[in-house]
């Protein structure tokens, strides 16, 4: 199968390399790492999956250079979505599947408006621990599952597209689950993303210290509860006990730097639209509010602007 | 009249020097600046009030060394109140007046429990722009008014005490107003203190930048509205239009570092109890909440602890 990966950082690189190793024809759109990947290729380093070098081939600087593909994985930061969507629309063939491997809420809507009705659009939630060590070198630490939910497309194509994706990934050794409700799944991911992405930046702290101090421990929990109530108000209630599960999982984890914190410290723009602005707009439209989430968002807007100006 | 000033920083120094110049017998309790004041004296530098040097006299390291005084002005940080109240109780004579020139809410209650019933307790809100330049040198930039409200004491003494204070300060050239309701006045001061003390620390910013960015501008206003609603719920509604006035005043001011920010940058403990904890407890006891104020407090508890450990 012909597969495109837009944005070959840690996430795009990992899934792309796994699919390439399984025999698929991969096409990568990369920005900063173009030269290295063009000359050396891309490399997977994984204690559990083994190492794999993909020789230089099919690397582009721009989405416009992509051939038509059956499957397009989008693994860029959401901050580039507004520019990316119309470009992608030009190369997404009728009947193809576009899967957004991105954080946050409402990201599919930005793309949907641009794509032809016959293009299938899906969202993916990655459960994987990966890091881009240096240009073209993806270090995989563990996990690797991918939860995918259908967003939209031409009527009647959904189950065929879901099977195609399920088969493709599973044959490549990736544990893939098809989610019945993408939006609920997005809310579930926000339960973790909203407190930890923002507070690690706002308080310049790893996750561990936030979970240890009683004041921020209470605050993390309150932010999660606001997200839970908002999901229910928006018609996508979380499964019973979901917050307790997320809580227990976090409590057991070692200290961790959120990717928003990594972006902030590197002076890159933060993904505030999809993680904060869109869920806040959704709950406001439903007549509710998330006051502490909103305060976090307001503070991050201020910090982000100052950070980018420095 | 014999007057004691406990804590001769900018605030205590200014009012103490003004009273000394008017001919009162002043007694100062100072910590860090003791040696200088003992040897050189205290100095007022003011474009509007003129300069004044008080020769070395009546300076102590400890409250316990004070003689009995008619009027005791307390101008220390509230962070030391728990230790200070029982010491002060020993030197406050029957019928004397203790005036707390401190920030925040509920500070009088800590002292009241310790003082004899015959001691009059009052709260003062200082409207003055002063800075302690170096040990014993108080630079006065402008303003100087003092609003004083009676908190508690023996029945029947109130109006006599209020007249005594009014006369004493006015004769010393200080514009003094007796407030009918101390608690309402405290809530009024919190309208400014709650957003600006905390946000300047949390976002490491002067007040100007907070009022300029649309996100933090909205947040400041929302914090003020939470305080206004809490005051009303607690039975001390602010005067109509008070927030609009405070807002206009802030909008017209030049950039400003809050005293909490100065304390934070100097590695000193923050006055979180009186500015955040006590008002939050009051509104919770009344069955309400200030979610964004609470989040600010939670964040500051975390930052304060880390700051003191560093």
């Amino acid at each position: 199968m012909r597969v495109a990966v837009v944005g070959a950082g840690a996430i795009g690189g990992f899934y792309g390399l796994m699919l390439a190793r399984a025999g698929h024809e991969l096409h990568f759109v990369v920005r900063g790492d173009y030269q290295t990947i063009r000359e050396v290729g891309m490399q997977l380093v994984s204690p559990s999956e083994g190492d794999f070098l993909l020789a230089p081939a099919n690397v582009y600087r721009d989405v416009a250079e992509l051939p038509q593909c059956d499957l397009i994985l989008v693994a860029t930061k959401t901050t580039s979505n507004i520019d990316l969507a119309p470009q992608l629309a030009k190369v997404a063939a009728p009947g193809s599947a576009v899967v957004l491997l991105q954080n946050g809420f409402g990201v599919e809507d930005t793309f949907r408006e641009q794509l032809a009705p016959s293009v299938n659009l899906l969202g993916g939630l990655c459960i994987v621990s990966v890091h881009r060590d240096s240009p073209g070198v993806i270090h995989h630490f563990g996990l690797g599952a991918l939860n995918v939910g259908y967003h939209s497309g031409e009527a009647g194509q959904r189950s065929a597209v879901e099977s195609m994706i399920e088969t493709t990934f599973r044959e490549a050794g990736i544990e893939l689950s098809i989610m019945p409700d993408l939006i609920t799944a997005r809310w579930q991911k926000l339960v973790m993303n909203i407190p930890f992405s923002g507070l690690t930046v706002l308080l310049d702290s790893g996750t561990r210290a936030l979970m240890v101090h009683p004041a921020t421990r209470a605050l993390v929990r309150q932010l999660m509860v606001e997200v839970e109530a908002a999901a229910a108000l928006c018609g996508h209630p979380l499964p019973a006990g979901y917050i307790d599960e997320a809580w227990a999982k976090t409590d057991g984890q070692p200290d961790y730097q959120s990717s928003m914190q990594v972006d902030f410290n590197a002076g890159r723009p933060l993904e505030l639209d999809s993680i904060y602005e869109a869920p806040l707009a959704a709950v406001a439209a439903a007549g509710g509010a998330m006051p502490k989430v909103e305060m976090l968002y307001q503070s991050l807007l201020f910090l982000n602007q100052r950070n980018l100006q420095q």
Side-chain angles (χ1 to χ4, degrees), chain A:
Chain A
M1 190 185 296
R2 191 183 272 175
V3 182
V5 176
V6 182
I11 294 281
F14 173 72
Y15 291 111
L17 286 168
M18 291 291 281
L19 293 173
R21 184 163 66 173
H24 297 286
E25 179 191 323
L26 264 288
H27 296 263
F28 289 97
V29 179
V30 292
R31 288 271 159 94
D33 297 357
Y34 177 83
Q35 212 54 46
T36 310
I37 295 175
R38 180 79 261 179
E39 286 162 17
V40 186
M42 280 181 79
Q43 212 178 335
L44 177 70
V45 180
S46 168
S48 58
E49 306 294 335
D51 296 352
F52 172 65
L53 176 72
L54 178 67
N58 311 331
V59 190
Y60 318 95
R61 286 187 194 272
D62 208 286
V63 174
E65 301 167 52
L66 279 178
Q68 299 228 323
C69 292
D70 309 297
L71 175 62
I72 303 177
L73 305 179
V74 178
T76 49
K77 293 271 169 196
T78 55
T79 39
S80 60
N81 282 4
I82 285 177
D83 295 331
L84 183 59
Q87 291 180 50
L88 201 70
K90 292 183 195 152
V91 298
S96 66
V98 174
V99 184
L100 305 184
L101 305 179
Q102 297 184 311
N103 273 324
F105 190 83
V107 289
E108 291 80 13
D109 300 341
T110 309
F111 281 88
R112 180 69 272 173
E113 292 165 19
Q114 302 286 337
L115 299 175
S118 63
V119 174
N120 297 285
L121 181 62
L122 301 95
L125 281 73
C126 310
I127 305 157
V128 62
S129 179
V130 280
H131 186 253
R132 171 192 156 288
D133 283 335
S134 54
V137 181
I138 311 298
H139 195 149
H140 172 233
F141 299 97
L143 308 172
L146 185 57
N147 294 341
V148 168
Y150 194 84
H151 178 271
S152 55
E154 209 138 51
Q157 293 192 3
R158 176 171 181 160
S159 67
V161 169
E162 289 180 346
S163 308
M164 178 274 278
I165 288 179
E166 201 166 10
T167 308
T168 305
F169 279 90
R170 287 201 183 160
E171 284 176 0
I174 294 161
E175 191 191 319
L176 188 128
S177 306
I178 295 293
M179 298 179 295
D181 178 356
L182 174 62
I183 300 181
T184 301
R186 288 275 182 216
W187 279 110
Q188 285 175 253
K189 190 134 192 210
L190 289 173
V191 165
M192 300 293 277
N193 261 345
I194 279 184
F196 290 113
S197 296
L199 289 180
T200 52
V201 172
L202 181 64
L203 300 174
D204 186 21
S205 167
T207 55
R208 202 72 224 120
L210 297 175
M211 290 296 281
V212 165
H213 193 291
T216 42
R217 186 175 174 83
L219 176 57
V220 167
R221 183 82 185 194
Q222 289 159 357
L223 290 164
M224 287 182 173
V225 169
E226 282 192 358
V227 175
E228 182 183 45
L233 188 73
C234 292
H236 297 276
L238 304 184
Y242 183 79
I243 286 193
D244 289 330
E245 262 174 56
W247 189 256
K249 210 184 291 169
T250 311
D251 240 355
Q253 289 240 334
D255 192 38
Y256 169 79
Q257 249 210 337
S258 78
S259 67
M260 188 169 282
Q261 199 180 1
V262 172
D263 283 342
F264 187 79
N265 292 339
R268 290 191 291 264
L270 307 183
E271 291 186 293
L272 301 180
D273 291 7
S274 55
I275 298 182
Y276 295 98
E277 190 187 349
L280 282 164
V283 74
M290 298 189 282
K292 289 187 172 180
V293 174
E294 186 188 50
M295 175 163 167
L296 188 50
Y297 174 54
Q298 290 166 321
S299 302
L300 292 168
L301 282 171
F302 179 86
L303 293 177
N304 185 46
Q305 188 184 76
R306 187 172 62 191
N307 200 40
L308 296 177
Q309 280 169 350
Q310 273 169 359

